[in-house]
Amino acid sequence: MSRTVPVDDDIRTSVPGQDDEARLRELGYQPVLARRMGGFGNFAISFSVISILSGCMTLYGFGLGTGGPAVMMWGWVGVGLFVLCVGMALAEVTSAYPTSGALYYMADRLGGRRWGWYTGWLNLLGLLGAIAGIDYGAALFTGAFLNLQWGIVPTAGSTFLIFLAILLLHAVLNLFGVRLVSVLNSISVWWHLAGVAVIVGALAFVPDRHQSAEFVFTEFVNDTGWANPFYVAAVGLLLAQYTFSGYDASAHLSEETSNASVSAAKGIVRAIWVSWIAGFALLAGLTFAIQDYAGTQNSATGVPPAQILLDALGSGGATALLLVVIVAQLFCGNAEVAAASRMVFAFSRDNALPGSALWRKVSSRTQTPVPAVWLSVAVAALLAVPSLYSATAYGAVTAINVIGITPAYAIPIYLRLRAGNRFTPGPWNLGRWSRPIGWTAVIWVAVVTVLFCLPQKSPVTVDSMNYAVIALAVVLVLASVWWYVARRSYGTPSTYGSAREEAELAEGIV
């Protein structure tokens, strides 16, 4: 049972080998979720959410015009290195505080209620934006598949209907419980790795012609309208940075993971470096196999990677491999719904959301936060509505994901650094490398947060404007307004814990 103490005195962590449920109670929460996920399953959910077959493929067309092959390849290498620093620093804090609330709970315990409040809203924005971005990307690829297979021309309306069907599928799958989610994520790991191997292998051996290494690693293409090549290259990093997001899923599923203080931390780091290596191979395979650059950019399928597969492998091969990609994207979206719904559940458990009493309810049969699942997919559907009217809306949705979730990663890392010796590391920690890696992570996040608020096209019009900064501002304003409404009820157990409140949370099981 937690007690009300000043934040500075409450920076505590777990002891290696301590019982997971006892540790959760020590952090102030009554266990209500089913702990049925192992270490591999925890790694698998973050790997599935990162999903190189989703992020790399859906934003490949964006990369072709914002720096081209050179920025895509070297940007992947550089961004991956910095993201690995962010992941390791975040894993260290996750080891100390393995709860479903993850980032906002860490920030609350290390910095106070307002730090936790704003971190939570940023994290929530990023997670919900990620569902919209992933599943809409899957809808785009499904449209391309239908075009190749039956000649159906995808429209904004048909793509949105496919998107809604995918959201419904993911909601239903998540209602069956975390065990099914874990099994699907484990399959997803091998599907992704085998899929990359098959795609790269086919593109390496089947086509008669390949691009040169000089083209793949040095060709710079600028279709943005901006004259400054450094600006264009910076904007082009969105492909890699968007793909390398969502690895906090391991932390959000920690209350459903055995030996969470170690497994969740390892899950974050492993998901990043495995994705880093496999993603580089995928990008290289696609870029070497480009037959017609302009034709790829202006593909009738609406999806440039599909055109690469079509030109290099023919209709049959392209259709088969496109199906491999779509299935991987479906795995990815399903994992993201699981992570986002746990964040909704945890944030509601601490009374941060309007209607928290509903969103924190847990099914007594599956021990799954059912209302939180439905809220997550409903908000994701709303975020993608502008795609019906604007061709650039999908890029805005992906930017919303990045601009929301990336700063949320850095806040608990910064607060851990600020805490100094008052923070006692958990069983998984960086030792003497903690501070240099931590500061590298914080600085990198500050840089990319600024970059991704910048306009991506020139001239800036209603269609080409980067709406991520507006979304960020709206969320921060709404969070500030709601703070004055909910500040008396909101709080993690470190600030309001009592036996009565834990009993009330336990009554959320229905």
Side-chain angles (χ1 to χ4, degrees):
M1 190 67 62
S2 62
R3 55 190 178 85
T4 303
V5 296
V7 172
D8 287 350
D9 295 331
D10 196 39
I11 301 174
R12 296 175 296 158
T13 188
S14 58
V15 177
Q18 187 177 17
D19 176 74
D20 288 311
E21 308 296 16
R23 175 57 185 151
L24 187 58
R25 289 189 177 91
E26 181 186 328
L27 291 173
Y29 294 118
Q30 189 72 20
V32 294
L33 300 176
R35 202 175 289 274
R36 295 170 180 162
M37 183 176 285
F40 184 82
N42 187 276
F43 148 75
I45 192 165
S46 281
F47 181 77
S48 297
V49 172
I50 291 175
S51 183
I52 52 177
L53 286 175
S54 177
C56 291
M57 300 292 270
T58 53
L59 279 176
Y60 191 83
F62 172 87
L64 288 174
T66 52
V71 173
M72 283 195 288
M73 298 308 302
W74 294 113
W76 183 266
V77 173
V79 170
L81 179 61
F82 284 114
V83 169
L84 187 59
C85 291
V86 177
M88 288 190 293
L90 184 63
E92 182 175 58
V93 190
T94 298
S95 180
Y97 303 109
T99 72
S100 294
L103 309 181
Y104 89 86
Y105 180 86
M106 302 170 196
D108 189 295
R109 295 296 290 266
L110 293 167
R113 295 172 72 231
R114 286 212 186 197
W115 280 104
W117 177 266
Y118 285 101
T119 301
W121 280 102
L122 287 170
N123 192 196
L124 189 60
L125 169 68
L127 288 168
L128 296 175
I131 297 175
I134 293 163
D135 281 2
Y136 195 83
L140 288 171
F141 271 72
T142 301
F145 174 82
L146 296 175
N147 178 263
L148 288 176
Q149 187 68 23
W150 293 290
I152 299 173
V153 179
T155 65
S158 64
T159 300
F160 193 79
L161 289 176
I162 296 170
F163 166 66
L164 293 179
I166 292 171
L167 283 177
L168 180 62
L169 170 66
H170 288 155
V172 172
L173 288 174
N174 270 270
L175 297 182
F176 284 99
V178 73
R179 180 166 291 168
L180 176 61
V181 172
S182 182
V183 169
L184 290 174
N185 288 332
S186 297
I187 296 171
S188 171
V189 172
W190 302 112
W191 185 276
H192 273 81
L193 294 177
V196 169
V198 170
I199 291 171
V200 173
L203 292 176
F205 294 107
V206 175
D208 295 327
R209 187 180 74 87
H210 291 88
Q211 298 290 344
S212 66
E214 180 182 8
F215 172 86
V216 172
F217 294 103
T218 66
E219 183 72 15
F220 184 86
V221 179
N222 178 12
D223 294 331
T224 65
W226 297 107
N228 190 317
F230 295 103
Y231 183 94
V232 175
V235 172
L237 297 179
L238 177 60
L239 184 154
Q241 187 65 50
Y242 167 69
T243 305
F244 281 118
S245 63
Y247 44 86
D248 57 316
S250 288
H252 289 296
L253 273 291
S254 58
E255 289 184 32
E256 295 158 89
T257 301
S258 299
N259 193 24
S261 291
V262 174
S263 296
K266 287 184 176 179
I268 292 171
V269 178
R270 286 173 178 170
I272 293 171
W273 70 256
V274 173
S275 299
W276 190 20
I277 295 170
F280 183 84
L282 177 63
L283 288 174
L286 286 169
T287 309
F288 271 110
I290 292 175
Q291 305 297 306
D292 177 1
Y293 203 94
T296 298
Q297 287 181 291
N298 302 304
S299 173
T301 67
V303 179
Q307 191 63 46
I308 294 175
L309 297 176
L310 185 62
D311 293 342
L313 308 175
S315 178
T319 303
L321 292 185
L322 205 57
L323 193 58
V324 171
V325 173
I326 292 169
V327 172
Q329 292 172 337
L330 294 177
F331 278 128
C332 173
N334 190 64
E336 184 62 27
V337 170
S341 63
R342 270 47 173 193
M343 173 60 194
V344 171
F345 158 76
F347 218 26
S348 299
R349 181 172 59 181
D350 291 326
N351 295 310
L353 298 180
S356 287
L358 171 61
W359 311 125
R360 70 185 178 219
K361 289 183 181 295
V362 175
S363 167
S364 59
R365 183 175 61 86
T366 63
Q367 292 181 274
T368 298
V370 173
V373 170
W374 286 115
L375 179 64
S376 298
V377 297
V379 174
L382 291 175
L383 285 175
V385 167
S387 66
L388 290 169
Y389 311 102
S390 170
T392 61
Y394 178 68
V397 170
T398 61
I400 287 170
N401 164 227
V402 173
I403 203 67
I405 209 166
T406 306
Y409 289 156
I411 293 172
I413 298 171
Y414 165 73
L415 293 173
R416 175 262 174 275
L417 294 168
R418 192 181 72 167
N421 293 332
R422 291 183 291 106
F423 174 85
T424 305
W428 194 99
N429 62 81
L430 298 170
R432 62 190 179 91
W433 291 100
S434 179
R435 295 189 69 81
I437 290 176
W439 281 116
T440 300
V442 170
I443 293 169
W444 171 249
V445 170
V447 170
V448 296
T449 300
V450 172
L451 290 180
F452 296 141
C453 286
L454 300 175
Q456 299 165 4
K457 294 281 188 179
S458 178
V460 179
T461 65
V462 172
D463 284 336
S464 65
M465 182 177 176
N466 184 351
Y467 289 96
V469 65
I470 295 178
L472 178 63
V474 168
V475 168
L476 291 177
V477 169
L478 291 177
S480 298
V481 171
W482 187 248
W483 167 260
Y484 289 101
V485 176
R487 68 184 187 277
R488 289 185 176 85
S489 60
Y490 163 74
T492 66
S494 63
T495 56
Y496 73 80
S498 69
R500 178 182 61 80
E501 284 150 344
E502 285 195 7
E504 288 175 353
L505 290 177
E507 288 175 3
I509 304 176
V510 293

